[in-house]
């Protein structure tokens, strides 16, 4: 079955989303089924916080799902005030879950949303921000996210309307400022990021249409 | 001042049998798993041994037989969680 979305003169089809939820355990080298997602979704994102996995996004999603990886339980909470997008870039800072950018109705968007995880409701709010550098394109998905301090993260590469990005962009949670660093990477998008807080380096999973490999990003402090 | 460097790790096509044994790691977070969509393969990279290889996965009899496109995955405590995706067989 193919679904069609109609909006003014915009028409496209999209494949059926899956509610499949899998666990790969290297100890037995098998993939097994977990509880199915409450809401089938695609082009969504996941992030870990205190061994809870938050499952967010997919353009037509209405809920945030939370999987307790210790007790293997899955719950869903209705999103309030969240503009659901495809491929949101997620990060958690001081108990706030941030959802950066994404794709809505086929267009890249650059807004930032957040929710306080200490509250029972998933009541989201838009986050005002400043762009320090002119011409900085924040309409991104699939950037690798790497923390470089308690208050600052880097967005590495990603997908944009113009193709794969080669930029490394910083975001300061205190000043709410996005800045373009002077560093570039080979144009990449990431389908997964893994970082080590105790080391000054990070590994980002990388996937493209033409190749599958890993990109290692190293942060060095000159001091 | 920070300096950022990006290095593409060696092409998997040339390094499929380098080995990636979790028992050689200091902790479970040393190994990063990445799914290859539309396949039954994972990329595993061991940060401790610097080895990387492709692992062919056995799926549960009731799940898909490959990793779905547009799914999301997450490494946590040495395991890999994969959710959702585009189920082309249903489309």
């Amino acid at each position: 079955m193919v679904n069609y979305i109609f909006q003014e003169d915009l028409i496209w089809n999209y494949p059926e989303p899956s509610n499949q939820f899998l666990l790969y355990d290297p100890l037995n080298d098998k993939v097994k089924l977990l509880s199915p997602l409450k809401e089938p979704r695609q082009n969504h994102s996941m992030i870990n916080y205190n061994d809870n996995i938050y499952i967010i996004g997919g353009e037509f999603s209405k809920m945030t799902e939370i999987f307790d990886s210790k007790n293997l339980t899955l719950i869903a909470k209705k999103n309030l005030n969240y503009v659901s997008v495809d491929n949101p870039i997620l990060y958690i800072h001081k108990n706030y879950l941030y959802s950066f950018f994404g794709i809505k109705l086929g267009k890249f968007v650059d807004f930032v949303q957040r929710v306080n995880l200490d509250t029972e409701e998933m009541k989201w709010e838009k986050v005002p921000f400043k762009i320090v550098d002119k011409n900085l394109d924040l309409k991104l998905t699939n950037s690798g996210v790497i923390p470089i301090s308690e208050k600052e993260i880097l967005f590495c590469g990603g997908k944009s309307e113009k193709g794969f990005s080669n930029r490394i962009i910083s975001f300061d949670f205190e000043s709410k400022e996005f800045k373009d660093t002077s560093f570039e990477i080979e144009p990449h998008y990431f389908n997964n990021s893994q970082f080590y807080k105790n080391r000054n380096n990070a590994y980002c999973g990388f996937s493209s249409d033409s190749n599958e490999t890993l990109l290692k990003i190293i942060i060095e402090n000159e001091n | 001042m920070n300096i950022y460097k990006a290095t593409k790790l060696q092409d998997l096509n040339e390094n499929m049998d380098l080995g990636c044994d979790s028992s050689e790691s200091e902790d479970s977070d040393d190994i990063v798993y990445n799914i290859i969509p539309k396949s039954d393969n994972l990329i595993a990279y061991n940060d401790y041994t610097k080895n990387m290889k492709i692992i062919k996965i056995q799926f549960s009899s009731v799940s898909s037989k490959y990793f779905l496109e547009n799914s999301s995955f997450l490494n946590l405590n040495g395991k890999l969680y994969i959710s959702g995706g585009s189920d082309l067989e249903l489309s």
Side-chain angles (χ1 to χ4, degrees), chain A residues 101-144:
Chain A
F101 325 137
I103 296 175
K104 188 72 182 172
L105 296 171
K107 293 187 176 174
F108 286 81
V109 295
D110 60 2
F111 45 73
V112 180
Q113 305 171 86
R114 73 176 187 179
V115 63
N116 187 343
L117 296 180
D118 287 340
T119 59
E120 198 57 36
E121 288 186 321
M122 294 300 287
K123 192 171 182 180
W124 294 77
E125 60 183 0
K126 286 267 177 70
V127 179
F129 59 82
K130 289 172 261 182
I131 301 176
V132 174
D133 307 283
K134 268 197 218 172
N135 306 321
L136 184 59
D137 184 10
L138 296 179
K139 293 181 177 176
L140 292 167
T141 65
N142 299 87
S143 299

Side-chain angles (χ1 to χ4, degrees), chain A residues 45-49 54 56 82 88-101 112-117 124 127 143-155 171-173 193 195-197:
Chain A
S45 302
M46 299 200 292
I47 192 166
N48 166 51
Y49 180 61
Y54 287 78
I56 297 161
Y82 183 64
I89 302 170
L90 305 178
Y91 191 77
I92 292 172
H93 177 73
K94 291 188 174 176
N95 297 340
Y96 276 93
L97 168 55
Y98 284 77
S99 171
F100 291 92
F101 325 137
V112 180
Q113 305 171 86
R114 73 176 187 179
V115 63
N116 187 343
L117 296 180
W124 294 77
V127 179
S143 299
V145 180
I146 300 173
I148 53 170
S149 71
E150 288 300 315
K151 62 171 190 144
E152 198 173 7
I153 58 174
L154 298 178
F155 293 87
F171 177 68
D172 187 313
F173 285 97
S193 303
F195 54 82
Y196 301 95
K197 280 188 176 174

Side-chain angles (χ1 to χ4, degrees), chain A residues 45-95:
Chain A
S45 302
M46 299 200 292
I47 192 166
N48 166 51
Y49 180 61
N50 293 339
D51 290 327
N52 288 321
I53 297 174
Y54 287 78
I55 305 168
I56 297 161
E59 185 166 349
F60 305 105
S61 161
K62 293 180 170 53
M63 294 187 283
T64 293
E65 299 192 49
I66 304 163
F67 179 72
D68 182 332
S69 66
K70 297 293 183 194
N71 298 313
L72 304 183
T73 54
L74 180 69
I75 62 168
K77 290 185 178 180
K78 188 176 179 187
N79 286 322
L80 301 172
N81 304 329
Y82 183 64
V83 180
S84 203
V85 293
D86 274 345
N87 302 115
I89 302 170
L90 305 178
Y91 191 77
I92 292 172
H93 177 73
K94 291 188 174 176
N95 297 340

Side-chain angles (χ1 to χ4, degrees), chain A residues 42 196 199 203 216 220, chain B residues 3 5 7 29 47 86 91:
Chain A
Q42 57 196 337
Y196 301 95
R199 303 177 198 179
Y203 297 95
K216 177 180 179 180
E220 288 181 355
Chain B
I3 295 174
K5 292 179 183 172
T7 306
D29 284 340
D47 183 33
S86 303
S91 299

Side-chain angles (χ1 to χ4, degrees), chain B residues 58-75:
Chain B
Q58 296 176 47
F59 282 82
S60 151
S61 59
V62 287
S63 67
S64 298
K65 298 292 176 254
Y66 55 90
F67 294 113
L68 299 179
E69 200 172 10
N70 302 322
S71 60
S72 180
F73 63 93
L74 178 76
N75 286 272

Side-chain angles (χ1 to χ4, degrees), chain A residues 24 28-32, chain B residues 40 56-60 63-64:
Chain A
Y24 170 68
N28 56 25
D29 201 26
K30 280 187 179 171
V31 168
K32 73 172 187 179
Chain B
D40 55 358
K56 196 169 186 67
I57 298 300
Q58 296 176 47
F59 282 82
S60 151
S63 67
S64 298

